Amino acid sequence: MDAVRMLLESQPLLTLFVTVALGYVVGEISVKGVALGSGAVLFVGLAIGGFAPKSAPPALLGTLGLLLFLYGIGIQYGDQFFKGLTSADGLKANIAAALGVIASGLLAIAFVPLFGVKLDESLGLFAGSGTSTASLQAAMAAMKSDGATVGYSVAYPFGVAGPILFLYVLSALLKPHIERPPPKLIETAEIALRNPEFIGSRLADVKTRMPAGIAIAAVRREHHNRPPTDDLVLQADDVLLATATDPAALQRAISLFGELQPGRMTSHREDLDYGRVFASSKLVVGRMLRDIRFPEGVVCTIAHVRRGDADLMPNQDLILEFGDRVGLLANRAHMKPLRAFFGDSIKGTAELSFISIGVGAALGLLAGAIPLPIPGVGKLALGLAALLLVALVLGRVRRVGPFVWTMPLSANLVLRNFGLTIFLAQVGIASGPKFFATIGVAGLSFLLYGVAIALALLIVTAIFCLWVFRLPFDMTVGILSGATGNPAILAFANRVAPTDAPDVGYAMIFPSMTVVKILFVQIAAVLASG
């Protein structure tokens, strides 16, 4: 064993990746549907750090990992986050979650005078109960100690399992009636124009009177399919190729325009053919559909956009991202230049600009280094919380000149999960010796403190969501997932409420609550030291 210890202590990078590998093996172990996931890397790191005390990699490596995680979160959820701040439900959701986070934080602080818990350990309990690695880093930096890691590691398991159990009990008590929505797939209908109200009208004027969620992909006249240009004047018996993700919307369109006549258009491709391309060119990525200018002489209609596992309607405000699969209707002779125009490379699913990442991260770090005056607290630098805020703004803006801030979802997930893993491994290894020195003395009491903090967060948030603001149950479980933070909780919430609302609630809440948790830790540390 001494030889193994010497090897680990002499090769810190080897130790780091052994921790990562073993951590994910442990993280996949499921007990009644609950698994620690990437959080298990921290516990393996603590064990290895306790066994080989001098094996920790440099702290800067862990900070870099957390930076990648927070930057990826901001870039992905920027749009949903700002929409949430401007909507009535989004404001209610953020207020409810903030009250829950603050209540749990105040309870954690109360343990210091009540039970003699050290402040850094109490802040670690707060971070672990909310599974917030960013708060853990903030506590370690503010307190200039690794005591927060002890509290974090004890509270973290219940921070994952507790909310899942809470959601299960809440669902069993309330018994909400939630229907699983049908998958969002593009459906089509060929509609012969019979309604005299639209005969002789320009297609641009007709579009303003169509049912919501309907798009016209092509028009057939005199046995020829043609693109749906805005200046096209509709005639009797024109056949409209309507598309929608909602079958009910298609039925309304059929009733409005005329009658269904399937097979008139899709079987004739001599004028317009269908092709699917990957969006991987900077000529289209980061641009709204209305701003895309096709090559000279090329006439094309965007029929739909598939992003991840969902079909998106080709609204003019839709912004293309790297890796989007775009369905096109165009003449076969134009397909080759269109593929070159869009890029059509599968590499787009993993494409990201390291220039944009470098500039964006540098702006975030610069903003985090600026001390800001806070009444009653003094000057406080936001640190990595500012980086998250900058990333949220960039994720909302998506593109500025040559800088495309967005990333494909697959690349984003890889980047931020790798960063989070590196952070947890480095922090675990570095904190192992102190963890084992403390846990033997205060292990059970710390666990009970962590349970109390997590329950305070869940109960306060749930009360305000369900009974004060009367938000829907499916959105509430997403808000609870975002307030507690772990993706495993969101995955369980999606099983409890199989709609889109949990994902929307999570996206509106998770970034802002991450910032709230970081600021709470920093302010508590400043006030305590003052």
Side-chain angles (χ1 to χ4, degrees):
M1 297 299 289
D2 289 339
V4 175
R5 182 182 294 107
M6 290 179 61
L7 175 64
L8 294 176
E9 292 183 341
S10 64
Q11 298 290 333
L13 285 181
L14 170 66
T15 306
L16 180 76
F17 284 99
V18 167
T19 302
V20 169
L22 292 178
Y24 271 90
V25 170
V26 175
E28 291 180 358
I29 299 174
S30 176
V31 179
K32 295 186 180 299
V34 178
L36 289 175
S38 61
V41 174
L42 175 67
F43 298 104
V44 172
L46 289 170
I48 291 179
F51 173 72
K54 299 179 181 179
S55 61
L60 182 62
L61 193 60
T63 303
L64 173 62
L66 186 59
L67 180 152
L68 295 176
F69 171 72
L70 293 176
Y71 187 81
I73 287 290
I75 291 297
Q76 179 179 345
Y77 291 122
D79 191 47
Q80 297 97 318
F81 171 70
F82 285 104
K83 285 180 180 178
L85 291 180
T86 56
S87 68
D89 284 350
L91 288 172
K92 293 175 182 177
N94 275 278
I95 292 172
L99 291 172
V101 169
I102 293 171
S104 65
L106 292 176
L107 180 61
I109 298 300
F111 290 151
V112 176
L114 290 177
F115 303 110
V117 180
K118 294 180 180 178
L119 180 62
D120 55 354
E121 295 170 344
S122 180
L123 294 177
L125 287 168
F126 168 71
S129 298
T131 66
S132 175
T133 51
S135 302
L136 170 62
Q137 194 275 342
M140 293 170 60
M143 302 301 298
K144 296 181 173 58
S145 71
D146 55 3
T149 307
V150 176
Y152 182 92
S153 57
V154 175
Y156 185 92
F158 189 81
V160 176
I164 292 175
L165 180 61
F166 184 84
L167 292 179
Y168 176 81
V169 172
L170 192 66
S171 178
L173 291 175
L174 299 181
K175 296 181 173 60
H177 178 69
I178 300 174
E179 295 184 359
R180 182 185 295 271
K184 288 188 175 182
L185 302 176
I186 293 288
E187 298 192 17
T188 62
E190 299 178 30
I191 310 171
L193 185 61
R194 300 282 192 266
N195 190 337
E197 292 186 18
F198 299 106
I199 296 173
S201 300
R202 294 171 62 250
L203 186 57
D205 298 326
V206 172
K207 288 179 180 179
T208 62
R209 301 171 60 186
M210 290 191 307
I214 293 290
I216 302 300
V219 178
R220 184 171 180 82
R221 178 181 297 171
E222 298 176 351
H223 309 293
H224 291 281
N225 299 333
R226 60 181 64 190
T229 55
D230 286 344
D231 58 355
L232 178 66
V233 178
L234 296 180
Q235 300 178 5
D237 297 325
D238 283 349
V239 179
L240 310 177
L241 181 61
T243 63
T245 57
D246 182 8
L250 277 180
Q251 289 300 320
R252 290 192 293 270
I254 294 170
S255 301
L256 180 65
F257 290 127
E259 62 185 53
L260 190 63
Q261 290 198 353
R264 296 276 297 276
M265 302 182 70
T266 54
S267 59
H268 297 83
R269 298 194 173 190
E270 63 275 8
D271 299 305
L272 290 179
D273 201 359
Y274 174 82
R276 179 179 283 186
V277 298
F278 282 102
S280 59
S281 168
K282 291 185 178 180
L283 295 173
V284 298
V285 171
R287 298 190 185 278
M288 292 184 180
L289 295 189
R290 64 160 53 94
D291 297 330
I292 294 177
R293 300 291 179 262
F294 295 112
E296 186 70 26
V298 173
V299 179
C300 173
T301 300
I302 296 178
H304 71 95
V305 176
R306 188 164 181 83
R307 181 173 297 162
D309 296 328
D311 283 334
L312 306 178
M313 290 296 292
N315 301 317
Q316 292 300 298
D317 294 333
L318 180 65
I319 299 176
L320 289 183
E321 297 182 0
F322 278 118
D324 283 349
R325 289 160 287 174
V326 185
L328 305 175
L329 290 175
N331 190 281
R332 292 178 182 176
H334 294 160
M335 283 298 177
K336 186 174 182 180
L338 281 170
R339 292 185 187 281
F341 177 71
F342 278 89
D344 195 28
S345 172
I346 196 172
K347 293 179 180 178
T349 59
E351 186 70 26
L352 53 89
S353 170
F354 287 100
I355 297 176
S356 297
I357 292 177
V359 172
L363 289 174
L365 292 171
L366 181 62
I370 300 174
L372 301 176
I374 298 179
V377 176
K379 291 187 176 181
L380 181 67
L382 297 182
L384 290 182
L387 179 128
L388 176 59
L389 291 173
V390 169
L392 287 167
V393 173
L394 297 180
R396 170 65 168 166
V397 173
R398 292 174 179 258
R399 179 171 183 159
V400 177
F403 297 107
V404 178
W405 308 110
T406 58
M407 312 175 216
L409 179 59
S410 55
N412 189 310
L413 285 171
V414 170
L415 185 71
R416 72 174 194 249
N417 287 341
F418 178 73
L420 178 62
T421 300
I422 294 300
F423 172 75
L424 290 174
Q426 191 279 326
V427 168
I429 298 170
S431 305
K434 183 167 183 177
F435 172 79
F436 286 102
T438 306
I439 195 65
V441 178
L444 180 59
S445 58
F446 270 34
L447 177 60
L448 294 176
Y449 300 153
V451 170
I453 294 169
L455 287 178
L457 169 59
L458 293 164
I459 292 172
V460 171
T461 303
I463 288 174
F464 275 89
C465 283
L466 292 172
W467 292 285
V468 177
F469 296 132
R470 298 188 179 279
L471 295 174
F473 181 83
D474 52 353
M475 178 173 285
T476 296
V477 297
I479 295 167
L480 289 169
S481 302
T484 49
N486 193 283
I489 303 167
L490 178 62
F492 185 81
N494 282 316
R495 294 200 293 270
V496 171
T499 69
D500 292 337
D503 290 328
V504 173
Y506 183 91
M508 291 191 303
I509 291 302
F510 179 75
S512 54
M513 292 308 104
T514 300
V515 174
V516 170
K517 291 173 185 177
I518 292 173
L519 290 177
F520 183 91
V521 166
Q522 291 178 321
I523 292 173
V526 170
L527 291 177
S529 61

Coordinates of all heavy atoms in Angstrom, one line a residue, residues 104-105 107-112 115-132 135-136 139 146-159 435 438-439 442-455 457 517 520-521:
S104 N -33.0 28.5 3.8 CA -32.0 27.5 4.1 C -30.7 28.0 4.5 O -30.0 27.5 5.4 CB -31.9 26.5 2.9 OG -31.3 27.2 1.8
G105 N -30.2 29.1 3.9 CA -29.0 29.7 4.3 C -29.0 30.3 5.7 O -28.0 30.1 6.4
L107 N -30.9 29.3 8.1 CA -30.9 28.2 9.0 C -29.4 27.6 9.2 O -29.0 27.3 10.3 CB -31.8 27.1 8.5 CG -31.9 25.8 9.4 CD1 -32.4 26.2 10.8 CD2 -32.8 24.8 8.7
A108 N -28.7 27.5 8.1 CA -27.3 27.1 8.2 C -26.5 28.0 9.1 O -25.7 27.5 9.9 CB -26.7 26.9 6.8
I109 N -26.6 29.3 8.9 CA -25.9 30.3 9.7 C -26.3 30.1 11.2 O -25.5 30.3 12.1 CB -26.2 31.7 9.2 CG1 -25.6 31.9 7.8 CG2 -25.5 32.7 10.1 CD1 -24.2 31.6 7.6
A110 N -27.6 29.8 11.4 CA -28.1 29.7 12.8 C -27.4 28.6 13.6 O -27.3 28.6 14.8 CB -29.6 29.6 12.8
F111 N -26.9 27.6 12.8 CA -26.2 26.5 13.5 C -24.9 26.9 14.1 O -24.4 26.2 15.0 CB -26.0 25.3 12.5 CG -27.2 24.6 12.1 CD1 -27.3 24.1 10.8 CD2 -28.3 24.5 12.9 CE1 -28.5 23.4 10.4 CE2 -29.5 23.9 12.5 CZ -29.6 23.3 11.2
V112 N -24.4 28.0 13.7 CA -23.1 28.4 14.3 C -23.2 28.8 15.7 O -22.5 28.2 16.6 CB -22.5 29.6 13.4 CG1 -21.2 30.1 14.1 CG2 -22.2 29.2 12.0
F115 N -25.3 25.5 17.8 CA -24.6 24.2 18.0 C -23.1 24.2 17.9 O -22.5 23.2 17.9 CB -25.2 23.1 17.0 CG -26.7 23.0 17.1 CD1 -27.5 23.4 16.1 CD2 -27.3 22.4 18.2 CE1 -28.9 23.3 16.1 CE2 -28.7 22.3 18.3 CZ -29.5 22.7 17.2
G116 N -22.5 25.4 17.8 CA -21.1 25.5 17.7 C -20.5 25.0 16.4 O -19.3 24.7 16.4
V117 N -21.2 25.0 15.4 CA -20.6 24.6 14.1 C -19.8 25.7 13.6 O -20.1 26.9 13.7 CB -21.8 24.3 13.0 CG1 -21.2 23.9 11.7 CG2 -22.7 23.2 13.6
K118 N -18.6 25.4 13.0 CA -17.8 26.5 12.4 C -18.4 27.1 11.2 O -19.2 26.4 10.5 CB -16.4 25.9 12.1 CG -15.6 25.4 13.3 CD -14.3 24.9 12.8 CE -13.4 24.4 14.0 NZ -12.2 23.8 13.6
L119 N -18.2 28.3 10.9 CA -18.9 29.0 9.9 C -18.5 28.4 8.5 O -19.4 28.2 7.7 CB -18.5 30.5 9.8 CG -19.2 31.3 8.7 CD1 -20.7 31.3 8.8 CD2 -18.6 32.8 8.7
D120 N -17.3 28.0 8.3 CA -16.9 27.5 7.0 C -17.6 26.1 6.8 O -18.1 25.8 5.7 CB -15.4 27.3 6.8 CG -14.8 26.5 7.9 OD1 -15.4 26.2 8.9 OD2 -13.5 26.3 7.8
E121 N -17.7 25.3 7.9 CA -18.4 24.0 7.8 C -19.9 24.3 7.6 O -20.6 23.5 6.8 CB -18.2 23.2 9.0 CG -16.7 22.8 9.2 CD -16.4 22.2 10.6 OE1 -17.2 22.4 11.5 OE2 -15.3 21.6 10.7
S122 N -20.5 25.3 8.2 CA -21.9 25.6 8.0 C -22.2 26.0 6.6 O -23.2 25.6 6.0 CB -22.3 26.7 9.0 OG -23.7 27.0 8.9
L123 N -21.3 26.8 6.0 CA -21.5 27.2 4.6 C -21.4 26.0 3.7 O -22.0 26.0 2.7 CB -20.5 28.3 4.3 CG -20.7 29.7 5.0 CD1 -19.7 30.7 4.6 CD2 -22.1 30.3 4.7
G124 N -20.5 25.1 4.1 CA -20.4 23.9 3.3 C -21.6 23.0 3.4 O -22.1 22.4 2.4
L125 N -22.3 23.0 4.6 CA -23.5 22.3 4.7 C -24.6 22.9 3.8 O -25.4 22.2 3.2 CB -24.0 22.3 6.1 CG -23.2 21.4 7.1 CD1 -23.6 21.8 8.6 CD2 -23.5 19.9 6.9
F126 N -24.6 24.2 3.8 CA -25.6 24.9 2.9 C -25.3 24.6 1.4 O -26.3 24.3 0.7 CB -25.4 26.4 3.1 CG -26.1 27.3 2.1 CD1 -27.5 27.4 2.1 CD2 -25.3 28.1 1.2 CE1 -28.1 28.2 1.2 CE2 -26.0 28.9 0.3 CZ -27.3 29.0 0.3
A127 N -24.0 24.6 1.0 CA -23.7 24.3 -0.4 C -24.0 22.9 -0.7 O -24.6 22.6 -1.8 CB -22.2 24.6 -0.6
G128 N -23.7 21.9 0.2 CA -24.0 20.5 -0.1 C -25.5 20.2 -0.1 O -25.9 19.4 -0.9
S129 N -26.3 20.8 0.8 CA -27.7 20.6 0.8 C -28.4 21.1 -0.5 O -29.4 20.5 -0.9 CB -28.3 21.3 2.0 OG -27.8 20.8 3.2
G130 N -27.8 22.1 -1.1 CA -28.3 22.6 -2.4 C -27.5 22.1 -3.6 O -27.6 22.6 -4.7
T131 N -26.6 21.1 -3.4 CA -25.7 20.5 -4.4 C -25.1 21.5 -5.3 O -25.0 21.4 -6.5 CB -26.5 19.5 -5.2 OG1 -27.5 20.1 -6.0 CG2 -27.1 18.4 -4.4
S132 N -24.6 22.6 -4.7 CA -24.0 23.7 -5.5 C -22.5 23.8 -5.3 O -22.0 24.2 -4.3 CB -24.6 25.1 -5.0 OG -24.0 26.2 -5.6
S135 N -21.1 27.3 -5.0 CA -21.2 27.8 -3.7 C -20.1 27.3 -2.8 O -19.5 28.0 -1.9 CB -22.5 27.5 -3.0 OG -23.6 28.1 -3.8
L136 N -19.7 26.0 -3.0 CA -18.6 25.4 -2.3 C -17.3 26.1 -2.6 O -16.5 26.5 -1.7 CB -18.5 23.9 -2.6 CG -17.2 23.2 -2.1 CD1 -17.2 23.2 -0.6 CD2 -17.2 21.8 -2.7
A139 N -17.3 29.5 -0.9 CA -17.1 29.4 0.5 C -15.6 29.1 0.8 O -15.0 29.7 1.8 CB -17.9 28.2 1.1
D146 N -10.5 24.8 3.9 CA -11.2 23.7 3.2 C -12.3 23.1 4.1 O -12.8 22.0 3.9 CB -10.3 22.6 2.7 CG -9.4 22.1 3.8 OD1 -9.5 22.5 4.9 OD2 -8.5 21.3 3.5
G147 N -12.6 23.8 5.2 CA -13.6 23.2 6.1 C -15.0 23.1 5.5 O -15.8 22.2 5.8
A148 N -15.3 24.0 4.5 CA -16.5 23.9 3.8 C -16.7 22.6 3.1 O -17.8 22.1 3.0 CB -16.7 25.0 2.8
T149 N -15.6 22.0 2.6 CA -15.7 20.7 1.9 C -16.2 19.6 2.8 O -17.0 18.7 2.4 CB -14.3 20.3 1.4 OG1 -13.8 21.4 0.6 CG2 -14.4 19.1 0.5
V150 N -15.9 19.7 4.1 CA -16.4 18.6 5.1 C -17.9 18.7 5.2 O -18.6 17.7 5.0 CB -15.8 18.9 6.4 CG1 -16.3 17.9 7.4 CG2 -14.2 18.7 6.4
G151 N -18.4 19.9 5.4 CA -19.9 20.1 5.5 C -20.6 19.7 4.1 O -21.6 19.0 4.1
Y152 N -19.9 20.1 3.0 CA -20.5 19.8 1.7 C -20.6 18.3 1.5 O -21.6 17.8 1.0 CB -19.6 20.5 0.7 CG -20.1 20.3 -0.8 CD1 -20.9 21.2 -1.4 CD2 -19.7 19.2 -1.5 CE1 -21.3 21.1 -2.7 CE2 -20.1 19.0 -2.8 CZ -20.9 20.0 -3.4 OH -21.4 19.8 -4.7
S153 N -19.5 17.6 1.8 CA -19.5 16.2 1.5 C -20.5 15.4 2.3 O -21.1 14.4 1.9 CB -18.1 15.6 1.6 OG -17.6 15.9 3.0
V154 N -20.7 15.8 3.6 CA -21.7 15.2 4.4 C -23.1 15.4 4.0 O -24.0 14.6 4.0 CB -21.5 15.6 5.9 CG1 -22.6 15.0 6.8 CG2 -20.1 15.2 6.4
A155 N -23.4 16.7 3.6 CA -24.8 17.1 3.2 C -25.1 16.7 1.8 O -26.3 16.5 1.5 CB -24.9 18.6 3.4
Y156 N -24.1 16.5 0.9 CA -24.4 16.3 -0.5 C -25.3 15.1 -0.8 O -26.3 15.2 -1.6 CB -23.1 16.2 -1.3 CG -23.3 16.1 -2.8 CD1 -23.3 17.2 -3.6 CD2 -23.5 14.9 -3.4 CE1 -23.5 17.2 -4.9 CE2 -23.7 14.8 -4.8 CZ -23.7 16.0 -5.5 OH -23.8 15.9 -6.9
P157 N -25.1 13.9 -0.2 CA -25.9 12.8 -0.5 C -27.4 13.0 -0.3 O -28.3 12.7 -1.1 CB -25.4 11.6 0.4 CG -24.0 12.0 0.6 CD -24.0 13.5 0.7
F158 N -27.8 13.6 0.8 CA -29.2 14.0 1.1 C -29.6 15.1 0.2 O -30.8 15.2 -0.2 CB -29.4 14.3 2.5 CG -30.9 14.5 2.8 CD1 -31.7 13.3 3.1 CD2 -31.5 15.7 2.9 CE1 -33.0 13.4 3.3 CE2 -32.9 15.8 3.1 CZ -33.6 14.7 3.4
G159 N -28.7 16.0 -0.2 CA -29.0 17.0 -1.2 C -29.5 16.5 -2.5 O -30.2 17.1 -3.2
F435 N -11.3 16.0 6.0 CA -12.6 15.4 6.0 C -12.6 14.2 7.0 O -13.4 14.1 7.9 CB -13.0 14.9 4.6 CG -14.2 14.0 4.6 CD1 -15.5 14.6 4.7 CD2 -14.1 12.7 4.6 CE1 -16.6 13.9 4.7 CE2 -15.3 11.9 4.6 CZ -16.5 12.5 4.6
T438 N -12.4 15.2 10.7 CA -13.6 15.9 11.3 C -14.8 15.0 11.3 O -15.5 15.0 12.3 CB -13.9 17.1 10.4 OG1 -12.8 18.0 10.3 CG2 -15.1 17.9 11.1
I439 N -14.9 14.1 10.3 CA -16.2 13.4 10.2 C -16.4 12.4 11.3 O -17.5 12.1 11.7 CB -16.2 12.6 8.8 CG1 -17.6 12.2 8.5 CG2 -15.3 11.5 8.8 CD1 -18.6 13.3 8.3
A442 N -18.0 14.6 14.2 CA -19.3 15.3 14.1 C -20.1 14.8 12.9 O -21.0 15.5 12.4 CB -19.1 16.8 13.8
G443 N -19.9 13.5 12.5 CA -20.6 13.0 11.3 C -22.1 13.0 11.4 O -22.8 13.5 10.5
L444 N -22.7 12.3 12.4 CA -24.1 12.2 12.5 C -24.8 13.5 12.7 O -25.8 13.8 12.0 CB -24.5 11.3 13.7 CG -26.0 11.0 13.9 CD1 -26.6 10.4 12.6 CD2 -26.2 10.1 15.1
S445 N -24.2 14.4 13.5 CA -24.9 15.7 13.7 C -24.8 16.5 12.4 O -25.8 17.2 12.0 CB -24.2 16.5 14.8 OG -22.8 16.6 14.5
F446 N -23.7 16.5 11.7 CA -23.6 17.2 10.4 C -24.7 16.7 9.4 O -25.3 17.4 8.7 CB -22.2 17.0 9.8 CG -21.3 18.1 10.2 CD1 -21.3 18.6 11.5 CD2 -20.3 18.5 9.4 CE1 -20.4 19.6 11.9 CE2 -19.4 19.5 9.8 CZ -19.5 20.1 11.1
L447 N -24.9 15.4 9.4 CA -25.9 14.8 8.5 C -27.3 15.3 8.8 O -28.0 15.7 7.9 CB -25.9 13.3 8.6 CG -26.9 12.5 7.8 CD1 -26.7 12.8 6.3 CD2 -26.9 11.0 8.0
L448 N -27.6 15.4 10.1 CA -28.9 15.9 10.5 C -29.0 17.4 10.2 O -30.1 17.9 9.8 CB -29.1 15.7 12.0 CG -29.2 14.3 12.5 CD1 -29.3 14.2 14.0 CD2 -30.4 13.6 11.8
Y449 N -28.0 18.2 10.3 CA -28.0 19.6 10.0 C -28.3 19.7 8.5 O -29.0 20.6 8.0 CB -26.6 20.3 10.3 CG -26.3 20.2 11.8 CD1 -24.9 20.3 12.1 CD2 -27.2 20.2 12.8 CE1 -24.6 20.3 13.5 CE2 -26.9 20.2 14.1 CZ -25.5 20.2 14.5 OH -25.2 20.2 15.8
G450 N -27.6 18.9 7.7 CA -27.8 18.9 6.2 C -29.2 18.6 5.8 O -29.8 19.2 4.9
V451 N -29.8 17.6 6.5 CA -31.2 17.3 6.2 C -32.1 18.5 6.5 O -33.0 18.8 5.7 CB -31.6 16.0 7.1 CG1 -33.2 15.8 7.0 CG2 -30.9 14.8 6.6
A452 N -31.9 19.1 7.6 CA -32.8 20.3 8.0 C -32.6 21.4 7.0 O -33.6 22.0 6.6 CB -32.4 20.7 9.4
I453 N -31.4 21.7 6.6 CA -31.2 22.8 5.6 C -31.9 22.5 4.3 O -32.5 23.3 3.7 CB -29.7 23.0 5.4 CG1 -29.0 23.5 6.7 CG2 -29.4 24.0 4.3 CD1 -27.5 23.5 6.7
A454 N -31.7 21.2 3.8 CA -32.4 20.8 2.5 C -33.9 20.9 2.6 O -34.6 21.4 1.7 CB -31.9 19.4 2.1
L455 N -34.5 20.4 3.7 CA -35.9 20.5 3.9 C -36.4 21.9 4.0 O -37.5 22.2 3.5 CB -36.3 19.7 5.2 CG -36.2 18.2 5.1 CD1 -36.6 17.6 6.4 CD2 -37.1 17.7 4.0
L457 N -35.2 24.5 2.4 CA -35.2 25.0 1.0 C -36.4 24.4 0.3 O -37.1 25.2 -0.4 CB -33.9 24.5 0.3 CG -33.8 24.7 -1.2 CD1 -34.0 26.2 -1.6 CD2 -32.5 24.2 -1.7
K517 N -27.0 31.7 -4.3 CA -26.2 30.9 -3.4 C -24.8 31.4 -3.2 O -24.3 31.5 -2.1 CB -26.2 29.4 -3.8 CG -27.6 28.8 -3.7 CD -27.6 27.4 -4.3 CE -28.9 26.7 -4.4 NZ -28.9 25.4 -5.0
F520 N -24.9 34.7 -1.3 CA -25.2 34.5 0.1 C -24.0 34.0 0.9 O -23.7 34.5 2.0 CB -26.3 33.4 0.2 CG -26.8 33.2 1.7 CD1 -27.8 33.9 2.2 CD2 -26.1 32.3 2.5 CE1 -28.2 33.7 3.5 CE2 -26.5 32.1 3.8 CZ -27.5 32.8 4.3
V521 N -23.2 33.1 0.3 CA -22.0 32.6 0.9 C -21.0 33.7 1.1 O -20.4 33.9 2.2 CB -21.4 31.4 0.1 CG1 -20.0 31.1 0.6 CG2 -22.3 30.2 0.3

